[in-house]
Amino acid sequence: MYNFLIQAYYSYRGLFLWLNWPSYISNIVGRPVLFVVMFAFLGRFLRDPEAEQAYIIGMSIFSIPVIILGGVLQSFYRERVLGTLSVIFASPGNRAVIFFSRALLHIPNGILTAGLALLAGALFLSLQTPSVSWAGVVASIIAVSISCACFALFLGCLAIIVTDWFYLFSGSQGLMILVSGVIIPTESLPPFLEALGFLLPVTSGLAAMRSSFVGDDLITIAPQLGLEIGVGAAYAVFGFGLYKWIEARARRTGIREFAV
């Protein structure tokens, strides 16, 4: 466990070129709050109080993959471009510890950014909270943060292979905002897109979050939370398998990098 925590700390601290207080605060506080305000005003422009409430909740949850995916993908990408990937492949270290530690310290960032976005919605906008099940809200935020971290680990393996990690980052964000129900209700989507949404993080967790805001308790939303965690676990397992395959290919061919 000690080695896991040390790996998590150094991967977080050493592989971020943007890790400074002004940038950290702008990413954790500034961006999600502006997201929430912008879409809340869109709901007001539509003169639809329900839309405004839905946008505040949706964009608060969507701030989680934005911060987590960006951080984890950069960690994997910079392992390749800064030359530490070959050292990792040559080391005798536990691959599971190396792989999963990459995401650990990003999970609190996801929880924090969603919480601050909701707080901004309650303080400065018209987020309605009289019947909220706060236990469900907290559980939903944690579940989405974990599943997004697992999804980011899977995408991180692809960031080792492709030339530019930002395409993965922006493409996955665009897909999630389209099919997860953040802006467009999932039931309004074509059936294949609705089904695709449930294969990605956020969708089930966001549904649980919305249910919590109308008073549903933890027992009621437990199936949705379980599905959210299950989706994340599947990506984590598949991502670890892909990571091992990349390493095996590197050992077999003698090629350290696979940028295409």
Side-chain angles (χ1 to χ4, degrees):
M1 179 58 70
Y2 176 76
N3 187 36
F4 180 78
L5 294 175
I6 290 296
Q7 288 273 358
Y9 172 74
Y10 281 113
S11 68
Y12 184 88
R13 183 66 183 90
L15 292 174
F16 274 97
L17 301 182
W18 60 263
L19 193 57
N20 54 72
W21 283 112
S23 182
Y24 182 81
I25 292 173
S26 68
N27 278 279
I28 295 293
V29 182
R31 179 166 55 185
V33 169
L34 289 175
F35 274 174
V36 166
V37 170
M38 179 176 67
F39 280 92
F41 283 170
L42 176 61
R44 288 186 184 181
F45 176 76
L46 296 173
R47 300 184 184 277
D48 186 348
E50 291 186 3
E52 182 178 355
Q53 177 92 349
Y55 290 164
I56 293 172
I57 297 171
M59 294 311 297
S60 296
I61 283 290
F62 186 68
S63 66
I64 296 175
V66 172
I67 192 66
I68 291 181
L69 265 62
V72 176
L73 279 168
Q74 285 187 78
S75 294
F76 280 87
Y77 172 73
R78 296 195 189 284
E79 278 183 344
R80 175 166 62 84
V81 299
L82 297 180
T84 56
L85 184 63
S86 58
V87 178
I88 291 174
F89 286 166
S91 73
N94 186 308
R95 294 301 183 261
V97 169
I98 293 171
F99 181 74
F100 290 106
S101 65
R102 294 288 177 267
L104 179 64
L105 293 181
H106 298 274
I107 294 174
N109 283 342
I111 296 170
L112 179 61
T113 193
L116 291 172
L118 283 177
L119 180 62
L123 292 178
F124 307 119
L125 301 167
S126 57
L127 181 64
Q128 303 299 313
T129 60
S131 60
V132 174
S133 169
W134 289 110
V137 170
V138 172
S140 300
I141 291 174
I142 293 173
V144 172
S145 297
I146 293 172
S147 67
C148 286
C150 293
F151 183 57
L153 289 172
F154 164 70
L155 291 181
C157 296
L158 300 181
I160 296 175
I161 298 173
V162 302
T163 303
D164 193 342
W165 69 273
F166 196 78
Y167 293 124
L168 296 171
F169 178 56
S170 57
S172 60
Q173 282 189 88
L175 185 59
M176 275 195 267
I177 204 169
L178 172 65
V179 302
S180 66
V182 172
I183 300 299
I184 306 171
T186 53
E187 60 270 17
S188 301
L189 296 170
F192 75 97
L193 287 180
E194 183 178 3
L196 176 61
F198 287 99
L199 298 178
L200 294 172
V202 175
T203 307
S204 298
L206 176 56
M209 180 86 145
R210 295 198 194 281
S211 297
S212 298
F213 267 87
V214 295
D216 289 352
D217 58 18
L218 274 175
I219 296 176
T220 304
I221 67 172
Q224 295 166 319
L225 295 179
L227 183 57
E228 182 73 20
I229 293 295
V231 167
Y235 278 112
V237 171
F238 189 50
F240 184 59
L242 180 59
Y243 189 75
K244 293 284 288 182
W245 177 82
I246 293 171
E247 179 187 3
R249 181 182 172 188
R251 288 179 178 273
R252 184 177 67 253
T253 63
I255 300 173
R256 297 179 303 173
E257 300 176 356
F258 306 96
V260 293

